[in-house]
Amino acid sequence: MAGFVSIREVGPRDGLQNEEPIPTEAKVRLLDALSRTGVGRIEAVSFVHPRAIPQMADADEVWRQAAKVDGVRYSALVPNVRGAQRALAAGFTEIEVVVSASDTHNRRNLNRSTDESLDDIAELIDLLHAAGAHAEVIIATSFGCPYEGDIDPGRVAAIVDRVVRDGADRVAFGDTTGMGTPRRVRDLLTAVRDRHADIPVLLHFHNTRGTALANLLTALEFGVTEFDASVGGLGGCPYAPGASGNLATEEAVHMLHDMGIDTGIDLDALIEVAELAERLTARPLPSG
């Protein structure tokens, strides 16, 4: 297996968007504390309409106040061209956009079909590249949908075909519902690698059914070295009923370090941040 795994910490965005809104100052404290753990990548905010995700209504102010640490790559999630313009104006050069493999989930999440979103993403990729930014396309419900059930890996691979053709710099696969299992991970990665062996890939697992670490291990065996995780297991998906709890960053780091795989992250410092996250959200977090 690889000697180094890159973890993108998504607690400040993906984690907090599924919690009760917390003050701007608390979000900045969490983001700054994570920046000091040695984590190399952080998903800091999302630029969405406040009516859709009120937890992210203060994204501009959070980012303005955050202490940007040298060596940490910060990214932002956007739903559309307007969100991308806001992210670029804020100075982000790594930007993510999401589309669902499930048409039903895409309509619930973005109020349009998967095909309509892919047309929008093609325009958005051109906009980002013209501004010198990188575009990552996250394919949600890659391993299953709360409304449609199983998702054919071939459908996900066809979406990869489209976004690669449109110029995506990286593709991520989201286990939005926590339906992922090692078998589903193998099936999806096989389908994608058979058609796109060279596209950079990142995986995002939820731990709804307790399979996140097993899924991570399976992906490692396929050569994947980039993963999302959320401190304390914060998060879920507001448009996927029952999908609670991302893979906890500290649990992933503990397992990887015990396997002799470096992450660059200070586990003790990370555990302290998980304790901070519990205090800021005023509830016990999934990782305990």
Side-chain angles (χ1 to χ4, degrees):
M1 293 187 185
F4 183 86
V5 161
S6 174
I7 290 181
R8 177 170 62 192
E9 170 58 54
V10 299
R13 195 286 301 177
D14 186 277
L16 292 183
Q17 82 166 26
N18 209 46
E19 301 291 326
E20 291 297 318
I22 66 173
T24 300
E25 179 272 337
K27 295 175 184 175
V28 174
R29 283 183 65 194
L30 180 64
L31 179 55
D32 287 352
L34 286 165
S35 294
R36 295 189 293 267
T37 63
V39 66
R41 302 180 67 194
I42 300 177
E43 186 184 58
V45 294
S46 62
F47 291 95
V48 297
H49 198 287
R51 284 200 301 270
I53 306 289
Q55 294 90 333
M56 294 287 112
D58 55 353
D60 288 289
E61 186 61 21
V62 169
W63 183 241
R64 187 188 69 79
Q65 294 186 26
K68 291 78 171 176
V69 173
D70 288 343
V72 179
R73 295 163 51 196
Y74 298 94
S75 62
L77 180 76
V78 304
N80 49 35
V81 167
R82 172 61 184 143
Q85 291 169 334
R86 289 178 60 196
L88 290 169
F92 283 94
T93 58
E94 295 195 23
I95 297 174
E96 310 139 24
V97 62
V98 66
V99 62
S100 296
S102 156
D103 200 69
T104 305
H105 184 269
N106 205 76
R107 291 182 185 278
R108 296 290 184 99
N109 192 20
L110 298 169
N111 199 32
R112 68 199 74 178
S113 70
T114 297
D115 285 341
E116 288 171 328
S117 282
L118 289 171
D119 290 340
D120 293 342
I121 287 170
E123 178 185 355
L124 189 148
I125 290 172
D126 288 342
L127 170 70
L128 295 180
H129 285 171
H134 286 82
E136 175 180 313
V137 177
I138 302 170
I139 304 175
T141 64
S142 285
F143 302 93
C145 171
Y147 309 107
E148 297 182 12
D150 293 345
I151 297 294
D152 183 353
R155 175 171 172 78
V156 181
I159 294 173
V160 176
D161 290 345
R162 169 70 190 272
V163 300
V164 168
R165 186 169 67 248
D166 289 336
D169 298 294
R170 181 184 312 275
V171 178
F173 301 105
D175 183 17
T176 313
T177 60
M179 290 172 66
T181 63
R183 190 272 299 170
R184 292 175 189 247
V185 173
R186 284 193 297 270
D187 289 351
L188 176 62
L189 290 176
T190 298
V192 172
R193 292 297 198 199
D194 283 349
R195 296 155 74 156
H196 300 283
D198 298 326
I199 184 73
V201 166
L202 179 146
L203 293 180
H204 177 114
F205 294 122
H206 284 201
N207 202 38
T208 309
R209 295 167 177 82
T211 60
L213 286 175
N215 294 337
L216 188 153
L217 180 60
T218 301
L220 281 173
E221 292 169 347
F222 269 79
V224 177
T225 59
E226 298 186 59
F227 299 92
D228 280 348
S230 179
V231 65
L234 276 169
C237 177
Y239 299 99
S244 59
N246 285 297
L247 168 63
T249 313
E250 61 272 23
E251 293 179 357
V253 170
H254 170 75
M255 185 184 80
L256 291 166
H257 288 187
D258 190 66
M259 295 170 64
I261 299 173
D262 188 20
T263 63
I265 298 172
D266 182 330
L267 180 57
D268 290 336
L270 188 63
I271 291 170
E272 290 181 5
V273 179
E275 294 168 351
L276 171 64
E278 282 200 329
R279 295 195 299 273
L280 295 177
T281 58
R283 75 171 184 90
L285 295 182
S287 69

